[in-house]
Amino acid sequence: MRKTLIMGLGGAGMNIASRVKQELGCDILAVNTNADTLAASPFNQRLQIGASCCEGKAAKSVQRGRLAAEESLEDLRYSIRGADHLILLTGLGGGTATGASTVIIDLALEMGIKVTLVATLPFEFENAQRAAAMDVLPQLEQKNIRIILHDHAKALEPGKALLDYYNKASAAIAQDVENLLAE
Ligand SMILES: Nc1nc2c(ncn2[C@@H]2O[C@H](COP(=O)(O)OP(=O)(O)OP(=O)(O)O)[C@@H](O)[C@H]2O)c(=O)[nH]1
Ligand SMILES: [Mg+2]
């Protein structure tokens, strides 16, 4: 039987995953370095990564996000075992998702799990985050995975609030996930 695992990684990934869970009613594994964000989330499968290197807080840098996933590699392995398709939901640009996604994708591929990455890209005005996302993107594109991107920068319209963009991206991603599950 086919088993698809949906993972929400990092703060944005978890917010997007909440919308997906709300709309599609599917089980989702939430993964973050931030213990408070995980504790306050609606998911029943939760994994805190990098407890030592991030001390339960945001990763803040891509380097620390990567270290967090490496520190928790065995927990991640245990959490994704048995799946044959991993749908990874993230907002690229922060430390956790940008750093941990490459490690998690490599682990899944090594375990023979097909991977689809669904990610948002930061706005242009998020200078450092945009640069971090653009830096990791070529590395992700080299991997044997499917990538679906939602670029916040391309969605920019005058007079719209940040939350409107987030909600719009989350709704579009819920549709992406519905399509992926129907394949
Ligand atoms: N669609 C959407 N994008 C978001 C949301 N929150 C943040 N973002 C975007 O996602 C990027 C990454 O932010 P986070 O998800 O907080 O980063 P993180 O992976 O948690 O990393 P750390 O906070 O450093 O641990 C931001 O730069 C924004 O562009 C959200 O709720 N929805
Ligand atoms: Mg965060």
Side-chain angles (χ1 to χ4, degrees):
M1 209 183 77
R2 255 165 49 101
K3 188 168 179 290
T4 300
L5 174 73
I6 306 173
M7 180 190 294
L9 174 65
M14 286 179 57
N15 288 342
I16 293 163
S18 295
R19 176 73 177 258
V20 172
K21 179 180 158 70
Q22 201 183 316
E23 288 201 15
L24 308 181
C26 43
D27 281 331
I28 294 179
L29 168 65
V31 177
N32 208 337
T33 57
N34 193 316
D36 291 341
T37 308
L38 280 169
S41 77
F43 307 100
N44 39 32
Q45 293 172 266
R46 305 171 202 178
L47 176 64
Q48 183 188 347
I49 57 169
S52 296
C53 72
C54 298
E55 298 175 324
K57 307 231 170 51
K60 293 206 181 80
S61 74
V62 175
Q63 164 80 347
R64 207 174 302 119
R66 175 191 300 275
L67 282 175
E70 284 168 354
E71 178 188 326
S72 301
L73 201 65
E74 291 317 307
D75 290 338
L76 285 162
R77 191 191 302 278
Y78 185 78
S79 300
I80 68 175
R81 82 204 182 288
D84 56 25
H85 182 196
L86 172 66
I87 300 178
L88 182 56
L89 308 177
T90 63
L92 291 176
T96 299
T98 318
S101 56
T102 49
V103 178
I104 293 172
I105 289 166
D106 286 345
L107 175 67
L109 293 175
E110 174 208 307
M111 292 167 75
I113 303 170
K114 185 175 87 170
V115 179
T116 304
L117 172 68
V118 188
T120 62
L121 297 177
F123 296 99
E124 300 281 0
F125 63 76
E126 298 182 273
N127 294 319
Q129 286 86 351
R130 179 87 186 170
M134 289 312 175
D135 206 41
V136 82
L137 202 53
Q139 295 170 44
L140 293 167
E141 283 168 342
Q142 274 175 19
K143 298 187 190 296
N144 185 22
I145 61 171
R146 174 148 52 151
I147 301 180
I148 301 171
L149 295 176
H150 293 265
D151 190 346
H152 284 145
K154 285 193 184 146
L156 208 61
E157 286 170 40
K160 253 172 79 173
L162 208 55
L163 208 58
D164 294 334
Y165 293 107
Y166 288 171
N167 288 336
K168 204 170 164 196
S170 294
I173 291 172
Q175 186 62 59
D176 291 338
V177 174
E178 189 173 7
N179 295 344
L180 288 166
L181 292 175
E183 279 179 358

